[in-house]
Amino acid sequence: MAFTKKALFISSLDWESPIRVGSHLLAKSLVEKGWRVGFVSYPVTPLHRLSKNKEDYNRRKAQNRGGYGKYFLNERLWSLVPWSLAVPRGVAPFDHKWFFNNWYRLSHQRLVEKVIKAGFGDVELLYFDNPYQNFWLKRISHKKSVLRIADANEGFEHFKSQEASVEKELSLRVNLTVCSAKKMADVVRQWGGAVDILPNGFDPASFVDNSPSSPHDLACINGPKAIYVGSVNYWFDYQLLEGCARRLPEVAFVIIGPVANMPERLKQFPNLHFLGRKAHSELGAYMRNSDVGIIPFDRARYPQLVDSINPLKLYEYLACGLPVVSVPWQELKSIDPPVRYAEGVDQFAGAIKGSISDPHDPALGYRFIESNRWDRITELLLSKLDLSNTCEEGLP
């Protein structure tokens, strides 16, 4: 009788989120290896109806469907955005520990029953990437559990002391905590649980050059293009971007992703182009039709956060054959990628200009990322958890 292994992912982001992180790609890789995956994200509440981002609310609501979820990847992945009256947050009274352990009781949709009915009441792997749904450890039968910490969450302004406390508690309860950066692993190791490193990577299928033509909104932009792909918020060095845009008026700076806290003065620069969010499947076309990928993080102001980043965008830039210019930090240097490091406007603008004008060999990047494909990283995670991928393909 054929046997299919199952995993339940507890993620901060929903499956269809335009922001794709390691959890999405690990889940996809497991499906490709024959697993069935449940993907449960941070819940939606009545307050979300008041959100200005109606697109985000409608997308997440569509993955609730009365608590029955929605299927993807040839019905091998089941996604559910839960509904609840209230959810744990870093502000009172929602920062009380009770909310972290019991918010699911505030939903009439019987969340645990729906997950069990979908076939994920007994799984080989229970996976967390956040501390907001720790109750699953007691509600779902599982062979192994893992917490993946991709960033130094305490470095985020919204991550408060109670959330940090619950994260530490979860780390001690799971079988293994994996971190994408060595520095973060060193911090977590002091908490006392089992810790290992699981780096970021790239998904080759997402960057296959099926459409070599430039996207329309990118093709309309003249000049060589320096591209940034990812969320833009307080950790992004707006002053560095402004200085480079001023220093290099002939270069078009293209920003792909959600933008927050952008200074109004940046809107005056004709060579700054904020194109907004794009589907993950479209990102490769934008990167392949650019000239250099940039990583202008504000390490000076946010060292705790930046020093623990193993940047996903690095692997994606290199997969698309781009030269990369980045501010330096120890974690990035420790993995020794083919990157030009630059600090300050003079160096960063000079590195961008050199990357555009100098000959570039994409093979250097291809060789670097070859061992960081998500299918290989998934196998590494399974081996760390003693969950060898021996399941047969096919339905149970």
Side-chain angles (χ1 to χ4, degrees):
M1 181 177 179
F3 171 68
T4 299
K5 290 188 175 182
K6 297 178 183 179
L8 181 63
F9 274 56
I10 309 302
S11 176
S12 57
L13 296 173
D14 62 280
W15 179 253
E16 290 193 295
S17 170
I19 301 174
R20 309 295 281 181
V21 296
S23 296
H24 295 96
L25 298 164
L26 284 167
K28 178 174 178 284
S29 180
L30 282 177
V31 168
E32 291 170 347
K33 294 178 183 296
W35 289 54
R36 283 192 178 278
V37 175
F39 203 90
V40 178
S41 72
Y42 192 75
V44 65
T45 73
L47 287 177
H48 285 106
R49 295 178 182 176
L50 305 178
S51 171
K52 294 181 180 179
N53 191 343
K54 298 301 181 184
E55 180 181 351
D56 180 80
Y57 171 71
N58 290 332
R59 182 194 72 247
R60 296 175 67 201
K61 182 181 177 183
Q63 291 172 83
N64 177 270
R65 295 180 66 250
Y68 289 97
K70 187 176 178 181
Y71 285 92
F72 299 90
L73 304 182
N74 295 320
E75 299 193 350
R76 305 286 290 186
L77 184 140
W78 176 75
S79 171
L80 175 66
V81 177
W83 184 94
S84 180
L85 283 173
V87 292
R89 299 295 294 174
V91 294
F94 306 109
D95 61 347
H96 193 279
K97 194 172 182 179
W98 185 91
F99 276 98
F100 286 85
N101 295 325
N102 295 281
W103 64 258
Y104 71 96
R105 300 180 188 274
L106 301 177
S107 174
H108 67 281
Q109 294 181 345
R110 298 183 177 181
L111 173 59
V112 175
E113 291 182 23
K114 292 291 174 59
V115 169
I116 293 174
K117 189 173 182 179
F120 297 98
D122 186 357
V123 298
E124 277 67 38
L125 174 61
L126 180 58
Y127 169 104
F128 299 86
D129 68 11
N130 67 90
Y132 300 109
Q133 303 191 46
N134 299 5
F135 56 84
W136 290 111
L137 281 169
K138 291 184 177 181
R139 300 297 171 186
I140 294 297
S141 176
H142 56 279
K143 290 183 179 179
K144 294 294 177 69
S145 58
V146 64
L147 167 64
R148 181 175 183 265
I149 301 179
D151 298 293
N153 290 319
E154 291 188 67
F156 288 111
E157 293 179 350
H158 68 270
F159 202 79
K160 306 302 181 182
S161 59
Q162 181 63 282
E163 292 165 295
S165 174
V166 175
E167 181 181 56
K168 292 178 183 178
E169 179 183 313
L170 177 59
S171 177
L172 294 174
R173 293 174 63 192
V174 297
N175 295 110
L176 179 67
T177 298
V178 292
C179 303
S180 61
K182 181 181 182 300
K183 184 167 184 177
M184 191 64 226
D186 292 340
V187 172
V188 176
R189 200 167 279 115
Q190 297 176 22
W191 301 349
V195 185
D196 212 330
I197 296 175
L198 191 76
N200 270 323
F202 81 106
D203 177 22
S206 299
F207 300 98
V208 173
D209 192 4
N210 291 325
S211 178
S213 60
S214 179
H216 178 70
D217 54 352
L218 187 68
C220 294
I221 299 173
N222 296 322
K225 299 171 181 63
I227 191 169
Y228 173 88
V229 176
S231 296
V232 179
N233 213 311
Y234 49 83
W235 58 83
F236 185 93
D237 196 335
Y238 282 114
Q239 289 186 337
L240 181 58
L241 178 66
E242 179 182 2
C244 290
R246 194 183 302 276
R247 192 69 55 87
L248 300 171
E250 74 280 8
V251 175
F253 291 85
V254 178
I255 311 299
I256 305 288
V259 176
N261 303 311
M262 183 182 75
E264 284 293 316
R265 66 181 183 275
L266 293 186
K267 294 181 180 179
Q268 67 178 303
F269 288 89
N271 60 332
L272 288 182
H273 305 271
F274 295 88
L275 302 187
R277 300 186 182 197
K278 304 295 178 183
H280 189 259
S281 59
E282 299 176 324
L283 295 181
Y286 283 90
M287 287 185 271
R288 286 192 301 271
N289 288 282
S290 296
D291 298 280
V292 55
I294 60 173
I295 309 178
F297 290 155
D298 192 349
R299 186 192 176 278
R301 294 179 60 196
Y302 299 97
Q304 181 183 14
L305 180 59
V306 175
D307 283 349
S308 295
I309 293 177
N310 183 300
L312 185 60
K313 60 181 58 58
L314 166 69
Y315 302 95
E316 295 175 344
Y317 289 160
L318 296 176
C320 290
L322 289 177
V324 180
V325 175
S326 176
V327 298
W329 67 92
Q330 186 56 45
E331 180 66 32
L332 183 60
K333 286 187 172 182
S334 71
I335 61 176
D336 196 26
V339 167
R340 294 192 188 209
Y341 297 110
E343 295 183 89
V345 173
D346 289 343
Q347 286 188 16
F348 211 89
I352 290 173
K353 189 173 183 178
S355 296
I356 292 171
S357 61
D358 295 346
H360 171 64
D361 182 7
L364 295 174
Y366 298 153
R367 285 195 292 270
F368 173 79
I369 63 176
E370 180 58 29
S371 61
N372 286 84
R373 290 173 10 194
W374 277 112
D375 58 339
R376 296 185 178 182
I377 292 173
T378 302
E379 286 293 350
L380 180 61
L381 175 61
L382 295 178
S383 68
K384 291 178 184 296
L385 292 168
D386 294 322
L387 291 174
S388 59
N389 190 47
T390 57
C391 62
E392 297 179 33
E393 299 287 343
L395 299 176

